[in-house]
């Protein structure tokens, strides 16, 4: 990269690996010539889905989040898997697996790097419309999820009150409210 702010990677190793992500340790050279270490989380891309029902409700999940020690309310989301044909396939799969809902249509909303100072995460946000229950949840072994529906206004109120704390959901909801076409 020709940008004068760019760092040059001299060496990289996986310092720790577990299901879902790796911790990468790099030796980098900064623009001023200083050599130092840099660690980051390396994880696959993810999808996040704001799922709208035919009666203008929003499908949300409540899920235990061990890292913060509480139930977290948010939108269906998950990792893009090797067998996914494309990002929309991953979004449809995660919506159905986590909620039992399927969508008539699915459109891209935005793509963001939510924590690019610490991780190489990329989150692809989608809008699913015409969502309806079509079966049972098919949760991963490490998921415990409750499904409900609510209104966008109730979610916005919860966000304003500090009760909706999931960053992926907050961004997806606000981006939808500001930029999506109904």
């Amino acid at each position: 990269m020709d940008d004068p702010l760019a760092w040059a990677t001299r060496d990289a190793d996986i310092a720790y690996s577990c299901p879902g992500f790796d911790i990468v340790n790099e030796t980098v050279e900064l623009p001023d010539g200083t050599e130092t270490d840099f660690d980051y989380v390396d994880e696959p891309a993810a999808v996040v889905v704001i799922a709208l029902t035919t009666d203008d409700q929003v499908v949300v999940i409540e899920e235990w989040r061990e890292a913060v020690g509480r139930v977290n309310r948010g939108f269906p989301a998950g990792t893009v898997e090797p067998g996914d044909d494309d990002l929309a396939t991953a979004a449809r799969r995660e919506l159905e697996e986590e909620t039992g809902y399927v969508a008539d249509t699915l459109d891209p909303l935005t793509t963001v790097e939510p924590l690019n100072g610490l991780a190489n995460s990329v989150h692809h946000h989608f809008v699913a419309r015409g969502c309806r229950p079509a079966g049972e949840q098919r949760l991963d072994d490490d998921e415990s999820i409750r499904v409900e529906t609510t209104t966008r206004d109730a979610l916005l109120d919860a966000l304003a009150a500090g009760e909706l704390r999931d960053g992926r959901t907050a961004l997806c909801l606000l981006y939808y409210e500001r930029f999506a076409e109904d």
Side-chain angles (χ1 to χ4, degrees):
M1 183 179 291
D2 292 334
D3 193 305
L5 297 177
W7 298 2
T9 303
R10 300 294 178 219
D11 191 29
D13 293 301
I14 296 175
Y16 175 78
S17 186
C18 68
F21 66 90
D22 295 330
I23 304 294
V24 176
N25 172 258
E26 292 184 341
T27 302
V28 297
E29 183 178 323
L30 305 179
D32 68 1
T34 302
E35 194 170 279
T36 189
D37 287 336
F38 181 77
D39 297 324
Y40 66 92
V41 176
D42 174 39
E43 64 181 354
V47 292
V48 181
V49 182
I50 180 170
L52 307 172
T53 66
T54 54
D55 60 350
D56 206 29
Q57 294 283 299
V58 183
V59 180
V60 294
I61 62 173
E62 291 184 339
E63 181 174 12
W64 179 258
R65 290 300 190 184
E66 183 64 22
V68 293
R70 63 180 164 75
V71 171
N72 193 59
R73 191 171 198 207
F75 292 157
T79 302
V80 176
E81 296 177 359
D84 293 331
D85 295 332
D86 56 27
L87 296 171
T89 298
R92 284 184 183 280
R93 185 196 70 251
E94 287 297 328
L95 174 63
E96 187 172 356
E97 284 179 359
E98 291 191 354
T99 69
Y101 279 73
V102 295
D104 288 340
T105 63
L106 186 80
D107 297 304
L109 182 61
T110 191
T111 297
V112 298
E113 299 169 348
L115 200 57
N116 61 19
L118 300 173
N120 65 358
S121 309
V122 177
H123 293 179
H124 304 278
H125 296 254
F126 287 86
V127 179
R129 292 183 175 87
C131 294
R132 65 195 179 289
E136 298 290 319
Q137 290 174 303
R138 294 184 318 277
L139 300 177
D140 293 338
D141 293 339
D142 63 350
E143 291 178 315
S144 51
I145 294 176
R146 204 171 24 237
V147 180
E148 63 181 41
T149 60
T150 188
T151 65
R152 291 189 339 244
D153 284 342
L155 288 171
L156 289 166
D157 289 346
L159 183 60
E163 298 163 1
L164 180 64
R165 298 181 58 163
D166 180 72
R168 298 175 302 188
T169 299
L171 177 66
C172 191
L173 177 64
L174 292 172
Y175 201 94
Y176 178 84
E177 290 297 320
R178 176 62 177 89
F179 298 112
E181 295 179 17
D182 282 325

